[in-house]
């Protein structure tokens, strides 16, 4: 008599439960089944025709160049287009069906839920890429195929899929207009990538030596990790309960990268131009990323709870945590000051890296960079401070209204520039007035722009204090209650 065999599980037991749930649902969807069957069948048909001689002339029915273009078209649109597009509706379905509340009741944290969704889509993209590998190897019969070039291109497509999928997970719960803009951006990115591949773009990270190739790879992976982590934390906020502080990990992810970049720049001031160009691209990325992060942090409606303050008091750097990493507008406001300070330092080091300091303009460059940083910081922060009293009505539309407000102020700024004038407290007005000076690397020591820089700083602090009284009241009440509790404990311990 045969003993009954226990059924083997479809996924290993050490797989996270959120990932198993998303994989079970994602692999059974009709869109993924069609993506996994129809497109490889079409590829097989085209590649089959590429080996059949043309009876009317020389060559084959489908040329090798056409097959090569079809292969890259399928890979880009399937991995970097279709997978992120499917992620664009993932969180929206969970929120509309109220499944997010049931998921949180299963003791799954919001981070694990989002990470499971993202890992599930990346696993599906990896499965599609494995199915495409036979067609990639068939192309070598055509000749003139670079293996290293192809593997590098496929790796970049997969990294792009990771970034776009994380972005679509966050954008899936945004207002309809922003989601439509995301769909258009996905098509534009895929079309641009396809045009670059069709124009014979060569990707060789090790063209300047092995050491330079490792440095390029490290910088690319660091930037990709930073972007993906940021977007996943932003997507996590759609599921996170109000007591969970998702602001601190998002802000902390930027600081180590920025500090390490500044320290690295101190050692490459006299390095070759190849290293400087790589650091320049990385620094420009950090500047745009910092602006994006500041805008997101200042336009995310949030409430400060006493539990947030208690969590910061339990750590040794409690004052630093309270100042820069607490939820709410003031926390994002002070973090934007810290980020602007890092931007100013990196900008000054970039100036030293690109220009010689033998002319004696070092002090002037420092003053110029400080004021330039203040004007740029004010141009980003001020529209969010103006919108703060309307947070309860705007809700998730705060980011969209911020973009409209900034666009309107930029329109008036262009009008003022055309009339050769500017308004000091208009966001970005003094910034562009300073950029219009002839000597961009020096600074006017008359104190004119220093005065307006201090004026804009005072205006920003005044707006922040007037529109965030409840935040400071909650912080003060939490600190007083904690101090009172510590005094009672000390009194109870005395004999």
């Amino acid at each position: 008599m045969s003993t009954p065999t226990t059924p083997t599980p479809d996924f290993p037991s050490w797989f996270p439960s959120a990932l198993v749930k998303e994989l079970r649902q994602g692999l059974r969807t009709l869109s993924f089944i069609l993506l996994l069957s129809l497109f490889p069948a079409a590829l097989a048909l085209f590649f089959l025709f590429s080996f059949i001689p043309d009876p009317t002339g020389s060559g084959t029915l489908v040329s090798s160049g056409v097959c090569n273009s079809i292969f890259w078209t399928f890979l880009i649109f399937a991995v970097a287009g279709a997978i992120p597009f499917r992620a664009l509706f993932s969180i929206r379905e969970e929120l509309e069906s109220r499944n997010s509340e049931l998921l949180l009741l299963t003791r799954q944290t919001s981070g694990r839920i989002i990470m499971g969704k993202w890992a599930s889509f990346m696993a599906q993209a990896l499965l599609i890429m494995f199915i495409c590998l036979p067609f990639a190897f068939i192309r070598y019969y055509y000749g003139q195929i670079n293996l290293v070039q192809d593997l590098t291109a496929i790796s970049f497509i997969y990294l792009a899929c990771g970034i776009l999928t994380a972005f679509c997970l966050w954008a899936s719960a945004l207002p309809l207009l922003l989601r439509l803009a995301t769909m258009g951006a996905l098509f534009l990115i895929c079309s641009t990538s396809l045009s670059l591949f069709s124009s014979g773009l060569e990707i060789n990270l090790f063209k300047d030596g092995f050491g330079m190739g490792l440095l390029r790879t490290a910088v690319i992976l660091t930037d990709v990790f930073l972007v993906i982590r940021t977007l996943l934390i932003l997507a996590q906020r759609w599921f996170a309960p109000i007591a969970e502080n998702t602001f601190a990990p998002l802000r902390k992810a930027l600081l180590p990268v920025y500090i390490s970049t500044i320290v690295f720049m101190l050692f490459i001031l006299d390095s070759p131009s190849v290293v400087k160009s790589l650091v320049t691209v990385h620094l420009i990325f950090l500047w745009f990323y910092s602006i994006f992060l500041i805008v997101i942090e200042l336009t995310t409606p949030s409430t400060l709870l006493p539990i947030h303050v208690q969590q910061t008091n339990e750590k040794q750097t409690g004052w630093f945590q309270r100042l820069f990493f607490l939820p709410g507008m003031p926390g994002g406001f002070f973090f934007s000051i810290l980020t602007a300070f890092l931007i100013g330092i990196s900008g000054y080091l970039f100036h030293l890296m690109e220009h010689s300091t033998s002319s004696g303009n070092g002090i002037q460059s420092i003053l110029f960079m400080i004021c330039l940083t203040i004007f740029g910081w004010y141009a980003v922060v001020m529209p969010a401070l103006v919108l703060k009293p309307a947070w309860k009505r705007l809700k998730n539309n705060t980011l969209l209204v911020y973009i409209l407000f900034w666009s309107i102020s930029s329109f008036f700024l262009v009008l003022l520039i055309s009339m050769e004038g500017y308004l000091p407290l208009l966001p970005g007005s003094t910034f562009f007035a300073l950029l219009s000076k002839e000597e961009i690397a020096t600074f006017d020591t008359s104190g004119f722009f220093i005065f307006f820089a201090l004026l804009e700083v005072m205006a920003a602090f005044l707006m922040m204090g007037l529109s965030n009284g409840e935040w400071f009241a909650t912080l003060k009440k939490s600190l007083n209650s904690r101090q009172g509790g510590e005094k009672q404990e000390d009194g109870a311990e005395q004999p």
Side-chain angles (χ1 to χ4, degrees):
M1 182 176 180
S2 60
T3 58
T5 59
T6 58
T8 58
D10 51 352
F11 290 101
S13 58
W14 48 267
F15 266 35
S17 56
L19 175 58
V20 172
K21 167 189 171 295
E22 295 298 330
L23 279 176
R24 285 174 176 168
Q25 293 180 349
L27 295 177
R28 297 174 181 174
T29 56
L30 180 61
S31 59
F32 179 74
I33 294 175
L34 293 176
L35 192 65
L36 205 62
S37 57
L38 295 182
F39 284 101
L43 277 180
L45 186 62
F46 278 108
F47 274 80
L48 178 62
F49 287 156
S50 68
F51 291 100
I52 301 177
D54 188 0
T56 61
S58 61
T60 57
L61 292 177
V62 178
S63 64
S64 59
V66 173
C67 281
N68 191 38
S69 301
I70 291 175
F71 170 77
W72 288 115
T73 301
F74 165 75
L75 193 62
I76 290 174
F77 277 92
V79 176
I83 295 296
F85 183 78
R86 292 176 63 235
L88 193 59
F89 302 93
S90 177
I91 294 183
R92 170 63 59 177
E93 296 175 357
E94 299 282 359
L95 295 178
E96 290 179 351
S97 60
R98 299 290 182 90
N99 288 338
S100 58
E101 300 175 359
L102 298 177
L103 289 175
L104 292 175
L105 290 177
T106 61
R107 297 183 180 179
Q108 291 286 340
T109 62
S110 57
R112 289 185 178 181
I113 295 173
I114 294 299
M115 191 63 190
K117 290 180 176 294
W118 180 79
S120 171
F121 287 115
M122 295 305 295
Q124 297 172 38
L126 191 61
L127 181 58
I128 294 175
M129 296 182 71
F130 273 118
I131 291 178
C132 293
L133 285 181
F135 303 101
F137 288 118
I138 292 175
R139 295 165 51 249
Y140 287 93
Y141 289 100
Y142 304 144
Q144 298 180 354
I145 301 296
N146 191 336
L147 177 61
V148 178
Q149 173 75 16
D150 282 1
L151 291 178
T152 306
I154 291 174
S155 301
F156 271 85
I157 293 174
Y158 192 68
L159 291 178
C161 175
I163 295 175
L164 294 175
T165 302
F167 178 79
C168 289
L169 281 175
W170 168 59
S172 62
L174 290 176
L176 178 61
L177 184 59
L178 292 180
R179 279 185 282 141
L180 293 176
T182 304
M183 295 180 189
L186 274 177
F187 180 78
L188 182 61
I189 290 173
C190 292
S191 302
T192 304
S193 303
L194 184 60
S195 63
L196 292 177
F197 278 95
S198 61
S199 62
L201 176 65
E202 294 185 0
I203 304 175
N204 187 4
L205 300 178
F206 295 88
K207 60 181 179 180
D208 298 313
F210 183 74
M212 194 63 195
L214 289 180
L215 182 60
R216 282 197 183 99
T217 304
V219 170
I220 291 174
L221 292 180
T222 300
D223 294 343
V224 170
F225 170 79
L226 185 62
V227 173
I228 291 178
R229 176 170 172 77
T230 299
L231 294 174
L232 290 180
I233 294 176
L234 291 177
Q236 177 184 340
R237 290 180 176 176
W238 303 117
F239 287 94
I242 192 172
E244 183 178 352
N245 184 6
T246 58
F247 293 81
L250 183 60
R251 299 169 189 172
K252 290 179 181 178
L254 176 64
L255 297 182
V257 179
Y258 236 128
I259 294 174
S260 60
T261 302
I262 292 174
V263 173
F264 183 70
M265 291 179 66
L266 293 174
F267 294 95
I268 62 165
L269 295 178
D270 299 325
S271 297
S273 58
V274 179
V275 180
K276 291 183 179 179
S277 61
L278 176 62
V279 175
T280 301
V281 174
H282 174 63
L283 194 60
I284 293 174
F285 161 77
L286 282 182
W287 287 345
F288 281 99
Y289 172 81
S290 302
I291 295 174
F292 167 78
L293 185 60
I294 290 175
V295 171
I296 293 298
E297 290 293 87
L298 292 176
T299 56
T300 302
S302 58
T303 304
L304 179 64
L305 298 180
I307 189 174
H308 299 146
V309 186
Q310 295 173 5
Q311 293 172 354
T312 59
N313 289 333
E314 295 174 356
K315 302 179 180 180
Q316 295 180 355
T317 57
W319 65 271
F320 189 80
Q321 299 275 344
R322 289 193 299 269
L323 190 61
F324 297 108
F325 300 135
L326 282 180
M329 171 69 76
F333 179 84
F334 288 116
F335 178 76
S336 66
I337 296 176
L338 178 61
T339 307
F341 176 71
L342 295 176
I343 292 176
I345 294 178
S346 59
Y348 177 66
L349 292 178
F350 173 76
H351 170 73
L352 293 181
M353 188 174 62
E354 297 294 330
H355 302 86
S356 175
T357 58
S358 59
S359 58
N361 290 329
I363 300 299
Q364 292 181 349
S365 299
I366 293 176
L367 293 175
F368 171 81
M369 191 57 61
I370 290 175
C371 289
L372 193 64
T373 304
I374 290 175
F375 296 143
W377 166 80
Y378 178 83
V380 174
V381 167
M382 194 58 183
L385 297 177
V386 173
L387 295 176
K388 173 58 174 63
W391 264 10
K392 293 182 179 180
R393 294 183 178 180
L394 296 176
K395 297 181 180 179
N396 293 337
N397 296 309
T398 307
L399 178 60
L400 181 61
V401 177
Y402 173 90
I403 296 174
L404 295 176
F405 184 92
W406 194 86
S407 302
I408 294 173
S409 63
S410 300
F411 174 74
F412 283 106
L413 178 60
V414 172
L415 291 180
L416 290 175
I417 293 176
S418 62
M419 295 184 295
E420 297 182 356
Y422 72 98
L423 186 64
L425 292 180
L426 180 67
S429 181
T430 315
F431 174 78
F432 282 99
L434 181 59
L435 289 179
S436 63
K437 295 177 64 65
E438 296 180 358
E439 297 293 333
I440 192 65
T442 60
F443 186 78
D444 187 3
T445 56
S446 63
F448 181 72
F449 286 102
I450 296 178
F451 170 75
F452 283 111
L454 296 177
L455 183 64
E456 291 183 348
V457 170
M458 293 174 59
F461 269 92
L462 181 62
M463 286 291 299
M464 191 269 294
L466 292 177
S467 59
N468 294 275
E470 71 283 354
W471 193 94
F472 292 101
T474 303
L475 179 64
K476 183 178 179 181
K477 182 178 179 180
S478 301
L479 294 177
N480 292 336
S481 61
R482 178 175 176 81
Q483 292 177 358
E486 291 178 352
K487 291 180 179 180
Q488 290 180 1
E489 291 179 359
D490 295 339
E493 291 178 357
Q494 292 180 359

